[in-house]
Amino acid sequence: MHKTGNVVVEGVAIGKIQFLNADYEEQIKRYMTGTEEEEKKRYQEAHTLAKDDLDSLLEDRDSLSENEAEIIEAHQLMIDDITFEDAILGYIEQKMSAPSAVLKAVEDFKAMFEEIDDEYLRERQKDIVDVGNRLLRKLLHMKEFSVVGADVILCAKDIEPSIMAGLSEKQVKAILLGSGSKTSHTVIIAKAKGFVTMVGVELDETEIADGDDIIVDAVKGEIILKPSEEELNRYKEQVQKQEEQRKYLMGKAKQPAVTTDGKEILVSANISRPTDMEKAVEYGCHGVGLYRTEFLFMESAQLPDEEKQVAAYRSVAEQAEGNLCVIRTLDIGGDKHCDCLSLEEEDNPFLGFRAIRICLQQKDMFKVQLRSILRAGLYGKLAIMIPMVTMLSEILETKQLIEEVKEEMRKENIPFAEDVPVGIMVETPASAVMAPLFAKHVDFFSIGTNDLVQYTLAVDRGNQSVSYLYDYFNPAVIHSIHRVITAAHEAGIWAGMCGEMAGDKLALPFLLALGIDELSMSASQAPVVKEQIRNLESGICDVDKILSLTTTEEVREYLQLSLIHISEPTRHAQ
Ligand code: PEP
Ligand code: MG
């Protein structure tokens, strides 16, 4: 049986399917309710099993982050909460089955937490749902989630970025998501890990069960459920070719990316944590074009203090072999939540309190981050990058704060790097329009197409139902990019790109023709993009011609035609 989906990370994978999200309601419908006594007994047994699981999770403490350990401890308290248990037993006495009683008690507690005027306690709703689901899995005899075995193709409606971050490349070969657009943060992490990934995939557990064979063809956008022997053999050959191609590219990964007419483009890495540096170096990235520091905040229960931040930024700087690492200041908000900052829930988080807006209101917190970057700058080449800029005042205020923290550190005799360049992400229409002015006040631009597209085209980057409108080849975005790179060069500063467009081979002819200086992407994409650059001439396409095109389709078509001229080795690399 064949299914389709939208390709995010190209490739072919063969493996065994494993579902992540369980459909509890469906399972409850099939549940055979016993007598009141039996239901109470089943609940008590489920409670014991669930508690044992939580205890054994904590036994392996070394494998957990601080935040994960705290969450499990909170779950241990919650599962033993007497009012929660009384509520469940009370519903069983009202003739409900044990699983329905658990679901109902969870709903009640969720509603109660929702009323609370404290962000931290409101957030505990998630814990009660987690604990309830753990009890349900025991009652319904469902498996606990853990990736089992190797060659796993993971299938879920959605996966939390933190769960995605914890998945092992040794076990997982491909990810199939029901929701999630190409630039949601979960998907960005999947890409960084090099998982073959498709979104918009709908699989039903009645069609295929955990452990069944599956082929993911994320070149054609096809999924083959329970493949035939012939299909398996055909795809095994393709996987082998893919592996040979990977080896070929890895052999050249550390060579520079120089166009056929001699222009070097720096290809650097987008990272979320210092441990990503190992892969960045292995895949031949030239330093870091974007360090998403918010992950340091999202993965801590408390605000990371100065020493913790210095250690993280220092570790990145030291691993970068002397190359520049661009540290983006906290970009929390939008689809990135953080327990350690009490932020109000918003109706339109992407248009709300996010990134530099938060930092400039919580200056004490921001100053700790700025101090940490400057201090870590002594151990390598670091730059500071401000996200979500819309106004000149945000740049000037940040620069003023940098001067303030430098002065403070001088007085405290704390050594720091004096010359850390300051740049901005150009990811809002306002910053693209104002690029000629902003360029006079910063050392570099990095174009964040993920947000630039969503804000320019008024399309939520995570909303699958409008994803057909989300396209960086839309002429409005193309004109913005042209404006930004031109403004940077006129002001004598460098311009890079760190949004997902930077890793797209179709965008390369346009970006090279505009004279882009740096491209930053998931490390796993770097060897392919570098090889493509080596086979292209920088003037391969006519910028004026592209700017005269009126539709997204015309832009794509023109770029596809310009790629036809590329020589054989690049085709080999695709
Ligand atoms: C972007 O917006 O393009 C970007 C790189 O930042 P993020 O995806 O983290 O919002
Ligand atoms: Mg962004």
Side-chain angles (χ1 to χ4, degrees), residues 408-443:
E408 284 166 16
M409 288 195 286
R410 275 185 206 109
K411 287 199 184 121
E412 293 164 41
N413 276 327
I414 296 175
F416 63 90
E418 281 284 353
D419 296 318
V420 172
V422 179
I424 60 167
M425 302 253 332
V426 180
E427 54 180 346
T428 63
S431 57
V433 170
M434 299 308 286
L437 172 70
F438 292 178
K440 294 188 184 135
H441 296 271
V442 296
D443 298 307

Side-chain angles (χ1 to χ4, degrees), residues 33-37 39-40 88-98 100-101:
T33 312
T35 63
E36 185 184 317
E37 281 323 299
E39 290 306 292
K40 281 187 174 169
I88 295 168
L89 294 174
Y91 284 125
I92 293 178
E93 281 159 20
Q94 289 173 35
K95 304 283 171 265
M96 275 190 188
S97 69
S100 301

Side-chain angles (χ1 to χ4, degrees), residues 332-343:
I332 216 73
D335 62 345
K336 285 176 284 194
H337 311 284
C338 159
D339 284 349
C340 61
L341 275 170
S342 316
L343 299 171

Side-chain angles (χ1 to χ4, degrees), residues 2-51:
H2 289 219
K3 294 262 174 171
T4 56
N6 303 320
V7 175
V8 180
V9 181
E10 267 189 30
V12 174
I14 304 175
K16 306 249 177 243
I17 194 159
Q18 204 179 322
F19 285 94
L20 178 53
N21 293 352
D23 190 345
Y24 298 107
E25 310 249 346
E26 194 50 45
Q27 297 280 339
I28 288 176
K29 278 192 209 146
R30 297 191 208 137
Y31 181 86
M32 301 286 285
T33 312
T35 63
E36 185 184 317
E37 281 323 299
E38 279 166 344
E39 290 306 292
K40 281 187 174 169
K41 189 160 171 267
R42 287 178 190 172
Y43 163 70
Q44 295 299 355
E45 284 165 2
H47 178 268
T48 310
L49 289 173
K51 247 188 97 159

Side-chain angles (χ1 to χ4, degrees), residues 191-206:
K191 207 179 237 188
K193 289 189 159 270
F195 297 144
V196 169
T197 307
M198 280 169 65
V199 297
V201 177
E202 280 179 20
L203 293 187
D204 187 330
E205 282 182 74
T206 55

Side-chain angles (χ1 to χ4, degrees), residues 21 26 55 77 116 165 178 194 210 246 290 300 322 325 360 388 472 506 564:
N21 293 352
E26 194 50 45
D55 293 345
L77 290 177
I116 298 175
D210 266 5
R246 199 190 66 82
L290 167 66
S300 312
C325 297
L360 289 176
M388 244 308 263
Y472 36 69
L506 197 55
I564 286 179

